[in-house]
Amino acid sequence: MSWFKLKRYSVFCSKFAYSIHHYDLEVTLDPRRQSYAVTAAITMKMGKPTNRLCFLLSAECALHSVSYLGLPLVHKVKQVSPGVNLITAIMPRKADRDEKLTAVLTYSGPIPVPEGDTAELSPDMRWYPFSSRPQQYTCTLKVITPEATRIVGPGTHSRQEPADIRVLTQWTADTPFQGIHMLAGDFLKTSRDTATPLDIYYPRKYMNQAKTVADYSQKLLEFFGQKLWPAPAPATAVVMAENPAQVARSSFYLTSISTGILDMLQEYETRQERNMRLFLLLARETGRRWLKYCLPVAHPSYKWYLDGLAEYLSWLAVEEEFGPAAKTRVLQEAREMVIAGANRSIVSAAASKLQFPPWLVAKAAWLMRMAHSLAGDSFLAGLLEIYAQAFRENKAPDPQEFFALLGNITNTDMLQLYREWALSSGKLQVEIKEARTFLDDKNRWQTLFNLVNDGKLDWPHPVELKLALAGGDSRIVRLPLQQEPHLLESPVKVEAITVDPEYKLLNWAAKNTYTM
């Protein structure tokens, strides 16, 4: 059973009786052997008296030693979930509560890309020792390479100097954060003068795409700064990583986009569509840096709503840059993804995997869209208020708490939304049935129809309908779901009815337009 799925999760977390204050990492890269070696000095503050130190580390890493004050510690390694090992080391004495101490671990691991491609070590690779408890820390990252290779890491680039016949590059992050991320490759660099320093790193042959990435990244910093709050990281970088796989990764300081994704985007027929897809990708990853990686959460599975919120805000960014039609295409694609893949509730699926499946993120984004539709303009104001409190407490709320707070602020029953859409696997299937039009005895047009939900998910709110009238006019009405038929009077004949014309609902119905 995975460590994050343990029913007694808090008991498992009690093994990690410390809070990490600082990482001092020295990484030696060997591109020829496609490997790296790390000396990790971890400074922590003890939460209780203990002589036992526990860390989690990728099972692909070979642990060589654990030491304290230069003394080697007896230790054991045990797999606790696929791909993750638990390291337990015994100190020669019991540390006091609130005592600060530094443990040093040495280990090595493989670089998961061919020689010549960008070497990347991201937080989801679990390449540095970590705790199952939520943590924030500072970091000094020193990377030694056999030749002048550009290193991109967290924080600010503080030095580069010869180290015997090799080169040492140092990055320093003085703002407490979570998620250590680094890349090494043959990059050029361009910078933008923004409120938050922005650097773009790219291979020479992707120079044209780099300008577009820089332009869009600058726009997105402004978009999220206006919609939400100032960028949480004091500096940010986007790296175009030379890697044929189609992968994008983000952390507090960095976003990496593989050249495999950039090449795939060229398959879209028009330049406008290629640009929109690149913008959407950058918006999604920028939102994750703003929301998912800026504050710790009590449990890894709780991040699903932050992923969904980042995804939804990326749709709003697309609408602002490319117009409503582009946003509609994106959310329709997300709907199709949910319908094809969702076979369990969001909460159940999030608790089973650390990497959320695409349908889960899409459904969580749709949940945010529906919350925004119900709350109106107060939705974004609610986010600001919730996160102001979260920053004060240095902790993101859990999902249920988030929706409860949002409901209180917006005066909307968001907990009902959470129960139906996050805790349940039920579906909303809103349809028009038995629709017909006729002239009454006073020669007025009447439209009679049933507006019903054939799914098991409860939707207590009115549904918007667009009535297409003879002559080309239309009108919007909002009607409740009910078993009794609705009867509407109109000056001319209703020729068609469209359910939810602005796609505010995640509706499983096969169609949404009904011709009379």
Side-chain angles (χ1 to χ4, degrees), residues 417-453:
L417 196 69
Y418 169 77
R419 287 191 300 269
E420 292 293 325
W421 292 91
L423 297 181
S424 163
S425 60
K427 301 173 183 179
L428 181 68
Q429 191 167 324
V430 180
E431 296 177 318
I432 297 284
K433 292 188 174 183
E434 300 178 14
R436 63 188 181 93
T437 59
F438 59 91
L439 283 168
D440 63 14
D441 54 5
K442 296 181 179 179
N443 209 35
R444 293 174 300 194
W445 282 103
Q446 304 287 343
T447 303
L448 184 70
F449 60 92
N450 291 87
L451 180 63
V452 298
N453 173 21

Side-chain angles (χ1 to χ4, degrees), residues 78-347:
K78 175 185 177 182
Q79 188 177 47
V80 289
S81 72
V84 179
N85 286 340
L86 173 66
I87 300 166
T88 304
I90 305 300
M91 294 190 295
R93 66 173 185 86
K94 183 176 286 190
D96 296 328
R97 180 184 177 88
D98 294 332
E99 179 180 351
K100 275 193 174 183
L101 57 85
T102 300
V104 179
L105 293 83
T106 62
Y107 56 94
S108 57
I111 298 175
V113 291
E115 183 178 1
D117 287 352
T118 300
E120 179 171 12
L121 296 174
S122 62
D124 61 358
M125 296 176 182
R126 307 172 194 121
W127 66 276
Y128 55 91
F130 66 99
S131 163
S132 66
R133 290 177 178 270
Q135 302 282 343
Q136 285 191 308
Y137 36 75
T138 56
C139 176
T140 301
L141 174 67
K142 305 183 195 105
V143 184
I144 299 172
T145 54
E147 55 189 19
T149 301
R150 191 184 287 273
I151 305 297
V152 186
T156 57
H157 179 235
S158 48
R159 64 173 171 144
Q160 182 170 321
E161 60 188 38
D164 52 64
I165 61 173
R166 299 171 296 177
V167 177
L168 180 146
T169 304
Q170 179 173 314
W171 284 77
T172 304
D174 294 326
T175 299
F177 72 107
Q178 56 180 331
I180 303 172
H181 194 173
M182 63 153 284
L183 298 99
D186 185 13
F187 303 125
L188 299 177
K189 173 187 172 184
T190 185
S191 301
R192 291 297 169 92
D193 186 16
T194 54
T196 300
L198 170 65
D199 296 323
I200 310 296
Y201 298 85
Y202 58 95
R204 183 179 297 276
K205 64 182 178 181
Y206 288 88
M207 184 178 295
N208 291 336
Q209 291 94 324
K211 182 181 184 306
T212 304
V213 168
D215 290 343
Y216 286 166
S217 296
Q218 183 173 352
K219 287 182 177 181
L220 288 164
L221 286 176
E222 295 170 358
F223 172 84
F224 280 92
Q226 292 168 359
K227 294 290 184 183
L228 300 178
W229 44 83
T236 189
V238 178
V239 183
M240 299 162 65
E242 197 141 17
N243 181 351
Q246 295 178 15
V247 60
R249 298 185 177 99
S250 286
S251 58
F252 184 70
Y253 281 101
L254 301 177
T255 287
S256 70
I257 301 171
S258 71
T259 53
I261 286 184
L262 298 174
D263 294 340
M264 178 273 293
L265 292 177
Q266 298 306 309
E267 297 175 6
Y268 288 99
E269 291 185 359
T270 67
R271 182 176 181 180
Q272 177 81 353
E273 188 70 14
R274 291 193 292 271
N275 286 343
M276 188 275 282
R277 298 292 170 174
L278 177 59
F279 185 87
L280 173 64
L281 172 65
L282 290 167
R284 178 184 298 127
E285 299 303 323
T286 303
R288 287 172 175 166
R289 288 204 313 270
W290 233 273
L291 295 158
K292 185 177 178 182
Y293 303 117
C294 71
L295 288 172
V297 294
H299 191 286
S301 68
Y302 293 167
K303 291 183 180 181
W304 67 260
Y305 82 92
L306 300 171
D307 243 339
L309 187 54
E311 180 75 13
Y312 174 59
L313 289 170
S314 75
W315 300 351
L316 297 185
V318 164
E319 180 180 33
E320 185 169 295
E321 182 69 17
F322 293 93
K327 184 193 75 172
T328 298
R329 290 204 310 278
V330 170
L331 60 87
Q332 285 177 327
E333 290 169 3
R335 171 187 175 272
E336 292 168 5
M337 193 180 300
V338 175
I339 290 173
N343 56 6
R344 58 199 301 191
S345 72
I346 287 178
V347 170

